[in-house]
Amino acid sequence: MIKNFNNLIQKVKEVEKSTVCVAAADDEEVLKAVKIATDIGFIDSILVGDKEKIEAIIKNIGLRDYKIVHKESSEEAALEAVKIVKSGKANVLMKGLVNTSVYMRAVLNRENGLRTGRLLSLLAVYELPGYHKLLYCTDSGVNVSPTLEQKKDILTNALLALQGIGMDMPKVACLAANEMVDPKISSTVDAKALVEMVENDEIPKCIIEGPIAFDVAFDSHAAEHKGINSRISGDVDLLVFPNMETGNALGKSWLHFNKAKWAGIILGASNPVVLGSRSDTAEIKVNSIALACLASNIK
């Protein structure tokens, strides 16, 4: 069981070192995170972008053990970084100083991108005070109002990543307003269908329940009070949101009121993709790199 991000960092140090390829790497905050991960000892790096600018930042921060691939524009850098990952020379892709739409176009390029046929989705991970282990959540940042088939991809993406992290039978809660299937509430109908898909081996194996309300998912006393015999209540590993707004609001409330720590990666491509934001702290970036490195162990 991975209790917190310190445990996650320790775990990634115990597996084979990963190579992270940074697209448009002339970004000081990103390179500071790469330096921390390099110093801890769980990554090597390939830095794609303007060589002169990258070297100036490296001289300032003291990064060691890296390779630079020169590309003048951020668009060229994104395309080249994706090619490097696709070739197997790196197993994690990370965004540097490049527009998100340009970066994602390179990831989704039909000829040289990292497409798998599955939908892209966000896996967010939270270290919450008062919860006994890391909580994995999807999707709160890519798909606004996913259909059932899209939720199938979203859940599959997350379960494959958790396998890479070393979780064989994660406990999954398909969140809804209540435990009753109501045709008027699509989240309850979809949750039941996802459970059936797991039972029919259409989705990787897990211990899944749904529809399930938030209180029942995280409080075994609430489950008992409602007469629900749950195998996951109070011990959820993965929370599947009914839509992006639910996940976004819950996640931001945890960050604001609970002072939670978090990390996030994009799944559904052939390799984990670190997207990130310029507002992310170095800690968030390092945690996200570590998460991506472990998730890249997907078989």
Side-chain angles (χ1 to χ4, degrees), residues 60-270:
N60 185 45
I61 66 175
L63 174 65
R64 299 173 292 105
D65 302 324
Y66 59 88
K67 177 182 177 182
I68 295 178
V69 177
H70 177 69
K71 291 292 176 183
E72 291 189 359
S73 73
S74 60
E75 186 171 357
E76 289 175 321
L79 290 169
E80 181 64 24
V82 167
K83 287 181 184 178
I84 289 169
V85 172
K86 187 170 185 175
S87 73
K89 295 176 183 177
N91 49 333
V92 171
L93 179 69
M94 185 172 188
K95 177 180 176 290
L97 193 61
V98 56
N99 182 276
T100 298
S101 62
V102 171
Y103 179 68
M104 294 309 297
R105 275 203 303 272
V107 171
L108 294 172
N109 183 284
R110 291 193 177 276
E111 293 182 6
N112 299 308
L114 305 178
R115 288 174 177 265
T116 63
R118 293 195 309 276
L119 193 72
L120 296 188
S121 57
L122 174 69
L123 180 68
V125 187
Y126 296 91
E127 181 182 323
L128 287 156
Y131 198 59
H132 59 286
K133 58 184 174 181
L134 290 179
L135 180 62
Y136 301 81
C137 301
T138 196
D139 176 357
S140 58
V142 176
N143 300 286
V144 177
S145 185
T147 64
L148 175 58
E149 281 303 307
Q150 290 174 325
K151 288 178 181 178
K152 179 182 177 182
D153 275 359
I154 290 167
L155 178 53
T156 298
N157 289 344
L159 290 172
L160 290 174
L162 293 185
Q163 285 178 10
I165 292 168
M167 299 171 66
D168 293 326
M169 286 292 284
K171 296 178 178 178
V172 181
C174 294
L175 197 64
N178 56 54
E179 292 71 36
M180 300 295 293
V181 177
D182 184 342
K184 295 180 180 179
I185 306 176
S186 61
S187 61
T188 65
V189 177
D190 289 352
K192 182 177 183 291
L194 289 172
V195 172
E196 291 172 349
M197 287 178 182
V198 172
E199 292 171 349
N200 294 331
D201 296 324
E202 298 174 45
I203 293 175
K205 284 295 184 186
C206 59
I207 302 170
I208 185 169
E209 294 181 12
I212 188 168
F214 189 92
D215 59 338
V216 174
F218 290 97
D219 185 353
S220 58
H221 296 296
E224 291 172 10
H225 181 73
K226 290 185 177 182
I228 297 170
N229 183 20
S230 173
R231 295 185 294 164
I232 69 170
S233 184
D235 196 35
V236 173
D237 293 300
L238 173 64
L239 195 59
V240 180
F241 297 125
N243 51 49
M244 189 172 76
E245 289 97 330
T246 301
N248 185 278
L250 266 178
K252 287 181 177 176
S253 71
W254 293 333
L255 296 175
H256 182 76
F257 291 113
N258 301 102
K259 307 305 178 186
K261 298 178 181 179
W262 88 287
I265 56 175
I266 300 294
L267 301 175
S270 61

Side-chain angles (χ1 to χ4, degrees), residues 24-68:
D26 45 311
D27 183 308
E28 185 166 350
E29 293 305 312
V30 168
L31 289 182
K32 283 179 180 177
V34 169
K35 179 184 186 302
I36 293 169
T38 301
D39 290 348
I40 293 171
F42 64 87
I43 70 164
D44 292 321
S45 59
I46 300 174
L47 311 176
V48 185
D50 188 302
K51 183 177 180 180
E52 185 176 339
K53 292 179 180 179
I54 293 170
E55 287 180 337
I57 297 170
I58 286 172
K59 184 177 180 180
N60 185 45
I61 66 175
L63 174 65
R64 299 173 292 105
D65 302 324
Y66 59 88
K67 177 182 177 182
I68 295 178

